[in-house]
Amino acid sequence: MQRLQDRVTVITGAGSGIGLATARRFAEEGARVVCVDLDEETGRAAAAEVGGLFVRADVTDEDDVARVFATAFDTYGSVDVAFNNAGISPPDDDSILETGIDAWRRVQEVNLTSVYLCCKHVIPYMRRQGKGSIVNTASFVAVMGSATSQISYTASKGGVLAMSRELGVQFAREGIRVNALCPGPVNTPLLRELFAKDPERAQRRLVHVPLGRFAEASEIAAAVAFLASDDASFITGSEFLVDGGISGA
Ligand code: NAD
């Protein structure tokens, strides 16, 4: 029996980066994976690769999010794990003096409101089951300041962390664990795109990683699999840092 055998797992942003690596890891560990993405091509390819179900959805749209969890439940009969992970990178200049209100709002919508919507729509299923595990993707920037000045991004991830703590505490007695995953810099299209625009930024970031490199997405996926599994049965409301030592330095 594998650790995540038959666990019905919804992964948002499954078409790329951390979400894709997590879909692969969960499939390897026996889970039934529901891949959710806005991008039809990559999301469908991910689902095909892991033998899962694809649901195209915009995680900022409440009807779409409700449909995602209803589809997972109707297809497999339960929703055991939600990995609320879809997100976008900060605008080009995300300092408080430069970020416009529209860019600010967009980042909050995709990175924070989406997590609110996913939690809101998955918790009723988990409540009825009397169990479930939710992992929300925050970032190391949620727990410390960032010299790269990312105000809208950092604020959105701080919100994800606070919401995860709150829900972890609120629903603990109902068997639902909620944790915030806080990755350091991870070698994914999101990061590569950011650093392609500003190569010096990559060097500045790297200097601050005690392990001396960026994470591979598979290393983040390993942490998600742990948090979602019964191996993490006493972990809830936590900020789970997978950051190569940045926050400890
Ligand atoms: P990525 O760009 O490789 O993948 C993000 C996926 O989310 C894409 O497939 C994209 O299509 C999807 N997506 C975006 N908006 C969506 C929407 N509205 N509805 C549905 N799907 C949508 O990014 P990644 O690096 O894998 O990042 C995943 C998460 O990890 C994000 O929340 C990001 O903020 C967070 N994170 C990333 C890093 C890093 O260094 N890469 C570090 C810390 C946290």
CSV table of all heavy atoms in Angstrom, one decimal, residues 102-167:
chain,number,residue,atom,x,y,z
A,102,ASP,N,-4.1,48.3,-10.4
A,102,ASP,CA,-4.7,47.2,-11.2
A,102,ASP,C,-3.8,45.9,-11.0
A,102,ASP,O,-4.2,44.8,-10.9
A,102,ASP,CB,-4.8,47.5,-12.6
A,102,ASP,CG,-5.9,48.6,-12.8
A,102,ASP,OD1,-6.8,48.7,-11.9
A,102,ASP,OD2,-5.9,49.2,-13.9
A,103,ALA,N,-2.4,46.2,-11.1
A,103,ALA,CA,-1.5,45.1,-11.0
A,103,ALA,C,-1.6,44.5,-9.5
A,103,ALA,O,-1.6,43.3,-9.4
A,103,ALA,CB,-0.1,45.6,-11.2
A,104,TRP,N,-1.7,45.4,-8.6
A,104,TRP,CA,-1.8,44.9,-7.2
A,104,TRP,C,-3.1,44.0,-7.0
A,104,TRP,O,-3.0,42.9,-6.5
A,104,TRP,CB,-2.0,46.2,-6.2
A,104,TRP,CG,-2.5,45.9,-4.9
A,104,TRP,CD1,-3.9,45.8,-4.6
A,104,TRP,CD2,-1.8,45.5,-3.7
A,104,TRP,NE1,-4.0,45.5,-3.2
A,104,TRP,CE2,-2.8,45.3,-2.7
A,104,TRP,CE3,-0.5,45.4,-3.4
A,104,TRP,CZ2,-2.4,44.9,-1.4
A,104,TRP,CZ3,-0.1,45.0,-2.1
A,104,TRP,CH2,-1.1,44.8,-1.1
A,105,ARG,N,-4.2,44.5,-7.6
A,105,ARG,CA,-5.4,43.7,-7.4
A,105,ARG,C,-5.3,42.4,-8.1
A,105,ARG,O,-5.8,41.4,-7.7
A,105,ARG,CB,-6.6,44.5,-8.0
A,105,ARG,CG,-7.0,45.6,-7.1
A,105,ARG,CD,-8.4,46.3,-7.5
A,105,ARG,NE,-8.8,47.2,-6.5
A,105,ARG,CZ,-9.1,48.5,-6.8
A,105,ARG,NH1,-9.1,48.9,-8.0
A,105,ARG,NH2,-9.5,49.3,-5.8
A,106,ARG,N,-4.7,42.4,-9.3
A,106,ARG,CA,-4.6,41.1,-10.1
A,106,ARG,C,-3.8,40.1,-9.3
A,106,ARG,O,-4.2,38.9,-9.2
A,106,ARG,CB,-3.9,41.4,-11.4
A,106,ARG,CG,-3.8,40.2,-12.3
A,106,ARG,CD,-5.1,39.7,-12.9
A,106,ARG,NE,-5.0,38.4,-13.5
A,106,ARG,CZ,-5.9,37.5,-13.5
A,106,ARG,NH1,-7.1,37.7,-12.9
A,106,ARG,NH2,-5.7,36.4,-14.2
A,107,VAL,N,-2.7,40.5,-8.7
A,107,VAL,CA,-1.9,39.6,-7.9
A,107,VAL,C,-2.7,39.1,-6.7
A,107,VAL,O,-2.6,37.9,-6.4
A,107,VAL,CB,-0.5,40.2,-7.5
A,107,VAL,CG1,0.2,39.4,-6.5
A,107,VAL,CG2,0.3,40.5,-8.7
A,108,GLN,N,-3.4,39.9,-6.0
A,108,GLN,CA,-4.2,39.4,-4.9
A,108,GLN,C,-5.3,38.4,-5.3
A,108,GLN,O,-5.5,37.4,-4.7
A,108,GLN,CB,-4.9,40.6,-4.1
A,108,GLN,CG,-4.0,41.7,-3.7
A,108,GLN,CD,-2.7,41.3,-3.1
A,108,GLN,OE1,-2.7,40.4,-2.2
A,108,GLN,NE2,-1.6,41.9,-3.5
A,109,GLU,N,-5.9,38.7,-6.5
A,109,GLU,CA,-6.9,37.8,-7.0
A,109,GLU,C,-6.4,36.4,-7.3
A,109,GLU,O,-7.0,35.5,-6.9
A,109,GLU,CB,-7.4,38.4,-8.4
A,109,GLU,CG,-8.5,39.4,-8.4
A,109,GLU,CD,-9.8,38.8,-8.1
A,109,GLU,OE1,-10.3,38.1,-9.0
A,109,GLU,OE2,-10.4,39.1,-7.0
A,110,VAL,N,-5.3,36.4,-8.0
A,110,VAL,CA,-4.8,35.1,-8.5
A,110,VAL,C,-4.1,34.3,-7.3
A,110,VAL,O,-4.2,33.1,-7.2
A,110,VAL,CB,-3.8,35.2,-9.7
A,110,VAL,CG1,-3.3,33.8,-10.1
A,110,VAL,CG2,-4.5,35.9,-10.8
A,111,ASN,N,-3.3,35.1,-6.5
A,111,ASN,CA,-2.5,34.4,-5.5
A,111,ASN,C,-3.3,34.2,-4.2
A,111,ASN,O,-3.0,33.2,-3.4
A,111,ASN,CB,-1.2,35.2,-5.2
A,111,ASN,CG,-0.3,35.1,-6.4
A,111,ASN,OD1,-0.6,34.5,-7.4
A,111,ASN,ND2,0.9,35.8,-6.2
A,112,LEU,N,-4.2,35.1,-3.8
A,112,LEU,CA,-4.8,35.0,-2.5
A,112,LEU,C,-6.3,34.7,-2.6
A,112,LEU,O,-6.8,33.7,-1.9
A,112,LEU,CB,-4.6,36.4,-1.8
A,112,LEU,CG,-5.2,36.5,-0.4
A,112,LEU,CD1,-4.8,35.4,0.6
A,112,LEU,CD2,-4.9,37.9,0.1
A,113,THR,N,-7.1,35.4,-3.4
A,113,THR,CA,-8.5,35.2,-3.5
A,113,THR,C,-8.8,33.7,-4.0
A,113,THR,O,-9.7,33.1,-3.5
A,113,THR,CB,-9.2,36.2,-4.5
A,113,THR,OG1,-8.9,37.5,-4.0
A,113,THR,CG2,-10.7,36.0,-4.5
A,114,SER,N,-7.9,33.2,-4.9
A,114,SER,CA,-8.0,31.9,-5.4
A,114,SER,C,-8.0,30.9,-4.2
A,114,SER,O,-8.7,29.9,-4.2
A,114,SER,CB,-6.9,31.6,-6.4
A,114,SER,OG,-5.7,31.6,-5.8
A,115,VAL,N,-7.1,31.1,-3.3
A,115,VAL,CA,-6.9,30.2,-2.2
A,115,VAL,C,-8.1,30.2,-1.3
A,115,VAL,O,-8.6,29.2,-0.8
A,115,VAL,CB,-5.6,30.5,-1.4
A,115,VAL,CG1,-5.5,29.6,-0.2
A,115,VAL,CG2,-4.4,30.3,-2.3
A,116,TYR,N,-8.6,31.4,-1.0
A,116,TYR,CA,-9.9,31.6,-0.3
A,116,TYR,C,-11.0,30.8,-1.0
A,116,TYR,O,-11.7,30.0,-0.3
A,116,TYR,CB,-10.2,33.1,-0.2
A,116,TYR,CG,-11.7,33.4,-0.2
A,116,TYR,CD1,-12.5,33.2,1.0
A,116,TYR,CD2,-12.3,33.9,-1.3
A,116,TYR,CE1,-13.8,33.5,1.0
A,116,TYR,CE2,-13.7,34.3,-1.3
A,116,TYR,CZ,-14.4,34.0,-0.1
A,116,TYR,OH,-15.8,34.3,-0.1
A,117,LEU,N,-11.1,30.9,-2.3
A,117,LEU,CA,-12.2,30.2,-3.0
A,117,LEU,C,-12.0,28.7,-2.9
A,117,LEU,O,-13.0,28.0,-2.7
A,117,LEU,CB,-12.3,30.7,-4.5
A,117,LEU,CG,-12.7,32.1,-4.7
A,117,LEU,CD1,-12.6,32.5,-6.2
A,117,LEU,CD2,-14.2,32.3,-4.3
A,118,CYS,N,-10.8,28.3,-3.1
A,118,CYS,CA,-10.6,26.8,-3.1
A,118,CYS,C,-10.9,26.2,-1.7
A,118,CYS,O,-11.5,25.2,-1.6
A,118,CYS,CB,-9.1,26.5,-3.5
A,118,CYS,SG,-8.9,26.7,-5.3
A,119,CYS,N,-10.4,26.9,-0.7
A,119,CYS,CA,-10.7,26.4,0.7
A,119,CYS,C,-12.2,26.4,1.0
A,119,CYS,O,-12.7,25.5,1.5
A,119,CYS,CB,-9.9,27.3,1.7
A,119,CYS,SG,-8.1,27.0,1.7
A,120,LYS,N,-12.8,27.5,0.6
A,120,LYS,CA,-14.3,27.6,0.8
A,120,LYS,C,-15.0,26.5,0.2
A,120,LYS,O,-16.0,26.0,0.7
A,120,LYS,CB,-14.7,29.0,0.2
A,120,LYS,CG,-16.2,29.3,0.4
A,120,LYS,CD,-16.5,30.6,-0.2
A,120,LYS,CE,-18.0,30.8,-0.2
A,120,LYS,NZ,-18.4,32.1,-0.8
A,121,HIS,N,-14.6,26.1,-1.0
A,121,HIS,CA,-15.4,25.1,-1.8
A,121,HIS,C,-14.9,23.7,-1.5
A,121,HIS,O,-15.7,22.7,-1.8
A,121,HIS,CB,-15.4,25.4,-3.2
A,121,HIS,CG,-16.3,26.6,-3.5
A,121,HIS,ND1,-17.7,26.4,-3.7
A,121,HIS,CD2,-16.1,27.9,-3.6
A,121,HIS,CE1,-18.3,27.6,-3.8
A,121,HIS,NE2,-17.3,28.5,-3.8
A,122,VAL,N,-13.7,23.5,-0.9
A,122,VAL,CA,-13.4,22.1,-0.6
A,122,VAL,C,-13.7,21.7,0.8
A,122,VAL,O,-14.0,20.5,1.1
A,122,VAL,CB,-11.8,21.8,-0.9
A,122,VAL,CG1,-10.9,22.4,0.1
A,122,VAL,CG2,-11.6,20.3,-1.1
A,123,ILE,N,-13.7,22.6,1.7
A,123,ILE,CA,-13.9,22.3,3.1
A,123,ILE,C,-15.3,21.5,3.3
A,123,ILE,O,-15.3,20.6,4.1
A,123,ILE,CB,-13.7,23.5,4.0
A,123,ILE,CG1,-12.2,23.8,4.2
A,123,ILE,CG2,-14.4,23.3,5.4
A,123,ILE,CD1,-11.8,25.0,4.9
A,124,PRO,N,-16.4,21.9,2.7
A,124,PRO,CA,-17.6,21.2,2.9
A,124,PRO,C,-17.5,19.7,2.6
A,124,PRO,O,-18.1,18.9,3.3
A,124,PRO,CB,-18.6,21.9,2.0
A,124,PRO,CG,-18.1,23.3,1.9
A,124,PRO,CD,-16.6,23.2,1.9
A,125,TYR,N,-16.8,19.4,1.6
A,125,TYR,CA,-16.6,17.9,1.2
A,125,TYR,C,-15.8,17.3,2.3
A,125,TYR,O,-16.1,16.2,2.8
A,125,TYR,CB,-15.9,17.8,-0.1
A,125,TYR,CG,-16.7,18.2,-1.3
A,125,TYR,CD1,-16.4,19.4,-1.9
A,125,TYR,CD2,-17.7,17.5,-1.8
A,125,TYR,CE1,-17.2,19.9,-3.0
A,125,TYR,CE2,-18.5,17.9,-2.9
A,125,TYR,CZ,-18.2,19.1,-3.5
A,125,TYR,OH,-18.9,19.5,-4.5
A,126,MET,N,-14.7,17.9,2.8
A,126,MET,CA,-13.8,17.3,3.8
A,126,MET,C,-14.6,17.2,5.1
A,126,MET,O,-14.4,16.2,5.8
A,126,MET,CB,-12.6,18.1,3.9
A,126,MET,CG,-11.7,18.1,2.6
A,126,MET,SD,-10.2,19.1,2.8
A,126,MET,CE,-9.3,18.4,1.4
A,127,ARG,N,-15.4,18.2,5.4
A,127,ARG,CA,-16.2,18.1,6.6
A,127,ARG,C,-17.1,16.9,6.7
A,127,ARG,O,-17.2,16.2,7.7
A,127,ARG,CB,-17.0,19.4,6.7
A,127,ARG,CG,-16.8,20.3,7.8
A,127,ARG,CD,-17.7,21.4,7.8
A,127,ARG,NE,-17.7,22.0,9.1
A,127,ARG,CZ,-18.3,23.1,9.4
A,127,ARG,NH1,-18.9,23.8,8.4
A,127,ARG,NH2,-18.2,23.6,10.6
A,128,ARG,N,-17.7,16.7,5.6
A,128,ARG,CA,-18.6,15.5,5.5
A,128,ARG,C,-17.9,14.2,5.7
A,128,ARG,O,-18.4,13.3,6.3
A,128,ARG,CB,-19.4,15.5,4.2
A,128,ARG,CG,-20.8,16.2,4.3
A,128,ARG,CD,-21.5,16.1,3.0
A,128,ARG,NE,-21.3,17.3,2.2
A,128,ARG,CZ,-21.2,17.4,0.9
A,128,ARG,NH1,-21.3,16.3,0.1
A,128,ARG,NH2,-21.1,18.5,0.3
A,129,GLN,N,-16.7,14.2,5.1
A,129,GLN,CA,-15.8,13.0,5.2
A,129,GLN,C,-15.2,12.8,6.6
A,129,GLN,O,-14.8,11.8,7.0
A,129,GLN,CB,-14.7,13.1,4.2
A,129,GLN,CG,-15.1,13.0,2.8
A,129,GLN,CD,-14.0,13.5,1.8
A,129,GLN,OE1,-14.4,13.7,0.7
A,129,GLN,NE2,-12.8,13.7,2.3
A,130,GLY,N,-15.1,14.0,7.3
A,130,GLY,CA,-14.5,14.0,8.7
A,130,GLY,C,-13.0,14.0,8.5
A,130,GLY,O,-12.2,13.7,9.5
A,131,LYS,N,-12.4,14.2,7.3
A,131,LYS,CA,-11.0,14.3,7.2
A,131,LYS,C,-10.6,15.0,5.9
A,131,LYS,O,-11.4,15.0,5.0
A,131,LYS,CB,-10.4,12.9,7.2
A,131,LYS,CG,-10.8,12.0,6.1
A,131,LYS,CD,-10.2,10.6,6.3
A,131,LYS,CE,-10.7,9.5,5.4
A,131,LYS,NZ,-10.5,9.7,4.0
A,132,GLY,N,-9.4,15.4,5.8
A,132,GLY,CA,-8.9,16.0,4.6
A,132,GLY,C,-7.6,16.8,4.9
A,132,GLY,O,-7.3,17.1,6.1
A,133,SER,N,-6.8,17.0,3.9
A,133,SER,CA,-5.6,17.8,4.0
A,133,SER,C,-5.5,18.9,2.9
A,133,SER,O,-5.7,18.6,1.8
A,133,SER,CB,-4.4,16.9,4.0
A,133,SER,OG,-3.2,17.6,4.0
A,134,ILE,N,-5.3,20.1,3.4
A,134,ILE,CA,-5.2,21.2,2.4
A,134,ILE,C,-3.8,21.8,2.6
A,134,ILE,O,-3.3,22.0,3.7
A,134,ILE,CB,-6.2,22.3,2.8
A,134,ILE,CG1,-7.6,21.8,2.6
A,134,ILE,CG2,-6.0,23.5,1.9
A,134,ILE,CD1,-8.7,22.8,3.1
A,135,VAL,N,-3.1,21.9,1.4
A,135,VAL,CA,-1.8,22.6,1.4
A,135,VAL,C,-1.9,23.8,0.4
A,135,VAL,O,-2.3,23.7,-0.7
A,135,VAL,CB,-0.7,21.6,0.9
A,135,VAL,CG1,0.6,22.3,0.8
A,135,VAL,CG2,-0.7,20.4,1.7
A,136,ASN,N,-1.7,25.0,1.0
A,136,ASN,CA,-1.7,26.2,0.2
A,136,ASN,C,-0.3,26.7,-0.1
A,136,ASN,O,0.5,26.8,0.8
A,136,ASN,CB,-2.5,27.3,1.0
A,136,ASN,CG,-3.9,26.9,1.3
A,136,ASN,OD1,-4.6,26.3,0.4
A,136,ASN,ND2,-4.4,27.2,2.4
A,137,THR,N,-0.1,27.1,-1.3
A,137,THR,CA,1.3,27.5,-1.6
A,137,THR,C,1.4,29.0,-1.3
A,137,THR,O,0.8,29.9,-1.9
A,137,THR,CB,1.6,27.3,-3.1
A,137,THR,OG1,1.4,25.9,-3.5
A,137,THR,CG2,3.1,27.7,-3.4
A,138,ALA,N,2.3,29.3,-0.3
A,138,ALA,CA,2.6,30.6,0.0
A,138,ALA,C,4.0,30.8,-0.6
A,138,ALA,O,4.3,30.5,-1.7
A,138,ALA,CB,2.6,30.9,1.5
A,139,SER,N,5.0,31.3,0.2
A,139,SER,CA,6.4,31.5,-0.2
A,139,SER,C,7.2,31.9,1.0
A,139,SER,O,6.6,32.4,2.0
A,139,SER,CB,6.4,32.7,-1.3
A,139,SER,OG,7.7,33.1,-1.4
A,140,PHE,N,8.5,31.8,0.9
A,140,PHE,CA,9.3,32.2,2.0
A,140,PHE,C,9.2,33.7,2.2
A,140,PHE,O,9.4,34.2,3.3
A,140,PHE,CB,10.8,31.9,1.7
A,140,PHE,CG,11.5,32.7,0.7
A,140,PHE,CD1,12.3,33.8,1.1
A,140,PHE,CD2,11.3,32.5,-0.7
A,140,PHE,CE1,12.9,34.6,0.1
A,140,PHE,CE2,11.9,33.3,-1.6
A,140,PHE,CZ,12.7,34.3,-1.2
A,141,VAL,N,8.8,34.5,1.2
A,141,VAL,CA,8.6,35.9,1.4
A,141,VAL,C,7.5,36.2,2.3
A,141,VAL,O,7.3,37.4,2.8
A,141,VAL,CB,8.5,36.7,0.0
A,141,VAL,CG1,9.7,36.5,-0.8
A,141,VAL,CG2,7.2,36.3,-0.7
A,142,ALA,N,6.6,35.2,2.6
A,142,ALA,CA,5.5,35.5,3.6
A,142,ALA,C,6.0,35.6,5.0
A,142,ALA,O,5.3,36.1,5.9
A,142,ALA,CB,4.5,34.3,3.5
A,143,VAL,N,7.2,35.1,5.3
A,143,VAL,CA,7.7,35.1,6.6
A,143,VAL,C,8.9,36.0,6.9
A,143,VAL,O,9.4,36.2,8.0
A,143,VAL,CB,8.1,33.7,7.1
A,143,VAL,CG1,7.0,32.7,7.1
A,143,VAL,CG2,9.3,33.1,6.3
A,144,MET,N,9.4,36.6,5.8
A,144,MET,CA,10.5,37.6,5.9
A,144,MET,C,10.5,38.6,4.8
A,144,MET,O,9.8,38.4,3.8
A,144,MET,CB,11.8,36.8,5.9
A,144,MET,CG,12.0,36.1,4.6
A,144,MET,SD,13.5,35.0,4.6
A,144,MET,CE,14.8,36.2,4.7
A,145,GLY,N,11.1,39.7,5.1
A,145,GLY,CA,11.2,40.8,4.0
A,145,GLY,C,12.0,40.3,2.9
A,145,GLY,O,12.9,39.4,3.0
A,146,SER,N,11.8,40.9,1.7
A,146,SER,CA,12.6,40.6,0.6
A,146,SER,C,13.3,41.8,0.0
A,146,SER,O,12.6,42.8,-0.3
A,146,SER,CB,11.7,39.9,-0.5
A,146,SER,OG,12.1,40.3,-1.8
A,147,ALA,N,14.6,41.7,-0.1
A,147,ALA,CA,15.3,42.9,-0.6
A,147,ALA,C,15.0,43.2,-2.0
A,147,ALA,O,15.3,44.3,-2.5
A,147,ALA,CB,16.8,42.6,-0.5
A,148,THR,N,14.3,42.3,-2.7
A,148,THR,CA,13.9,42.6,-4.1
A,148,THR,C,12.6,43.4,-4.2
A,148,THR,O,12.2,43.6,-5.4
A,148,THR,CB,13.8,41.2,-4.9
A,148,THR,OG1,13.0,40.3,-4.1
A,148,THR,CG2,15.2,40.6,-5.2
A,149,SER,N,12.1,43.8,-3.1
A,149,SER,CA,10.9,44.7,-3.1
A,149,SER,C,9.8,44.2,-4.0
A,149,SER,O,9.5,44.7,-5.1
A,149,SER,CB,11.4,46.1,-3.7
A,149,SER,OG,10.4,47.0,-3.5
A,150,GLN,N,9.1,43.2,-3.5
A,150,GLN,CA,7.9,42.7,-4.2
A,150,GLN,C,6.7,42.9,-3.3
A,150,GLN,O,6.3,42.0,-2.5
A,150,GLN,CB,8.0,41.2,-4.4
A,150,GLN,CG,9.3,40.7,-5.0
A,150,GLN,CD,9.4,39.2,-5.0
A,150,GLN,OE1,9.7,38.7,-6.1
A,150,GLN,NE2,9.0,38.5,-4.0
A,151,ILE,N,6.1,44.1,-3.4
A,151,ILE,CA,5.0,44.4,-2.4
A,151,ILE,C,3.7,43.6,-2.6
A,151,ILE,O,3.2,43.0,-1.7
A,151,ILE,CB,4.8,45.9,-2.3
A,151,ILE,CG1,4.0,46.2,-1.0
A,151,ILE,CG2,4.1,46.5,-3.5
A,151,ILE,CD1,4.7,45.9,0.3
A,152,SER,N,3.2,43.6,-3.9
A,152,SER,CA,1.9,42.9,-4.1
A,152,SER,C,2.1,41.4,-3.9
A,152,SER,O,1.2,40.7,-3.3
A,152,SER,CB,1.4,43.2,-5.5
A,152,SER,OG,2.2,42.7,-6.5
A,153,TYR,N,3.2,40.9,-4.4
A,153,TYR,CA,3.4,39.4,-4.3
A,153,TYR,C,3.6,39.0,-2.8
A,153,TYR,O,3.0,38.1,-2.3
A,153,TYR,CB,4.7,39.0,-5.1
A,153,TYR,CG,4.9,37.5,-5.2
A,153,TYR,CD1,4.2,36.7,-6.1
A,153,TYR,CD2,5.9,36.9,-4.4
A,153,TYR,CE1,4.5,35.4,-6.1
A,153,TYR,CE2,6.1,35.6,-4.4
A,153,TYR,CZ,5.4,34.8,-5.3
A,153,TYR,OH,5.6,33.4,-5.4
A,154,THR,N,4.5,39.7,-2.1
A,154,THR,CA,4.7,39.4,-0.7
A,154,THR,C,3.4,39.5,0.2
A,154,THR,O,3.1,38.6,1.0
A,154,THR,CB,5.8,40.3,-0.1
A,154,THR,OG1,7.0,40.1,-0.8
A,154,THR,CG2,6.1,40.0,1.4
A,155,ALA,N,2.7,40.5,-0.1
A,155,ALA,CA,1.4,40.7,0.7
A,155,ALA,C,0.4,39.6,0.4
A,155,ALA,O,-0.2,39.0,1.3
A,155,ALA,CB,0.8,42.1,0.3
A,156,SER,N,0.4,39.2,-0.9
A,156,SER,CA,-0.6,38.1,-1.2
A,156,SER,C,-0.1,36.8,-0.5
A,156,SER,O,-1.0,36.0,0.0
A,156,SER,CB,-0.6,37.9,-2.8
A,156,SER,OG,0.6,37.3,-3.3
A,157,LYS,N,1.2,36.5,-0.5
A,157,LYS,CA,1.6,35.3,0.1
A,157,LYS,C,1.5,35.3,1.7
A,157,LYS,O,1.3,34.3,2.3
A,157,LYS,CB,3.1,35.0,-0.3
A,157,LYS,CG,3.2,34.7,-1.8
A,157,LYS,CD,2.3,33.5,-2.2
A,157,LYS,CE,2.6,33.1,-3.7
A,157,LYS,NZ,1.7,32.0,-4.1
A,158,GLY,N,1.7,36.5,2.2
A,158,GLY,CA,1.4,36.7,3.7
A,158,GLY,C,0.0,36.4,4.0
A,158,GLY,O,-0.4,35.8,5.0
A,159,GLY,N,-0.9,36.8,3.1
A,159,GLY,CA,-2.4,36.5,3.3
A,159,GLY,C,-2.6,35.0,3.2
A,159,GLY,O,-3.4,34.5,4.0
A,160,VAL,N,-2.0,34.3,2.3
A,160,VAL,CA,-2.1,32.8,2.2
A,160,VAL,C,-1.7,32.2,3.5
A,160,VAL,O,-2.3,31.3,4.0
A,160,VAL,CB,-1.3,32.3,1.0
A,160,VAL,CG1,-1.3,30.8,1.0
A,160,VAL,CG2,-1.9,32.8,-0.3
A,161,LEU,N,-0.6,32.6,4.0
A,161,LEU,CA,0.0,32.0,5.3
A,161,LEU,C,-1.0,32.3,6.4
A,161,LEU,O,-1.3,31.3,7.2
A,161,LEU,CB,1.3,32.6,5.6
A,161,LEU,CG,2.0,32.3,6.9
A,161,LEU,CD1,2.1,30.7,7.0
A,161,LEU,CD2,3.4,32.9,7.0
A,162,ALA,N,-1.5,33.5,6.6
A,162,ALA,CA,-2.4,33.8,7.7
A,162,ALA,C,-3.7,33.0,7.6
A,162,ALA,O,-4.2,32.5,8.5
A,162,ALA,CB,-2.7,35.3,7.7
A,163,MET,N,-4.2,32.9,6.3
A,163,MET,CA,-5.4,32.2,6.1
A,163,MET,C,-5.3,30.7,6.5
A,163,MET,O,-6.1,30.1,7.0
A,163,MET,CB,-5.9,32.3,4.7
A,163,MET,CG,-7.2,31.7,4.4
A,163,MET,SD,-8.0,32.1,2.8
A,163,MET,CE,-6.7,32.7,1.8
A,164,SER,N,-4.1,30.2,6.1
A,164,SER,CA,-3.8,28.7,6.3
A,164,SER,C,-3.8,28.5,7.8
A,164,SER,O,-4.3,27.5,8.3
A,164,SER,CB,-2.5,28.3,5.7
A,164,SER,OG,-2.6,28.6,4.3
A,165,ARG,N,-3.1,29.4,8.6
A,165,ARG,CA,-3.0,29.2,10.0
A,165,ARG,C,-4.4,29.2,10.6
A,165,ARG,O,-4.8,28.4,11.5
A,165,ARG,CB,-2.2,30.4,10.6
A,165,ARG,CG,-0.8,30.3,10.5
A,165,ARG,CD,-0.1,31.1,11.6
A,165,ARG,NE,1.3,31.3,11.4
A,165,ARG,CZ,1.8,32.4,11.0
A,165,ARG,NH1,1.1,33.5,10.8
A,165,ARG,NH2,3.1,32.5,10.8
A,166,GLU,N,-5.2,30.2,10.2
A,166,GLU,CA,-6.5,30.4,10.8
A,166,GLU,C,-7.4,29.2,10.5
A,166,GLU,O,-8.0,28.7,11.4
A,166,GLU,CB,-7.1,31.7,10.1
A,166,GLU,CG,-8.6,32.0,10.4
A,166,GLU,CD,-8.7,32.7,11.8
A,166,GLU,OE1,-7.7,33.2,12.3
A,166,GLU,OE2,-9.8,32.7,12.3
A,167,LEU,N,-7.4,28.7,9.3
A,167,LEU,CA,-8.2,27.5,8.9
A,167,LEU,C,-7.7,26.3,9.6
A,167,LEU,O,-8.5,25.4,10.0
A,167,LEU,CB,-8.3,27.4,7.4
A,167,LEU,CG,-8.9,28.5,6.6
A,167,LEU,CD1,-8.8,28.3,5.1
A,167,LEU,CD2,-10.4,28.6,7.1
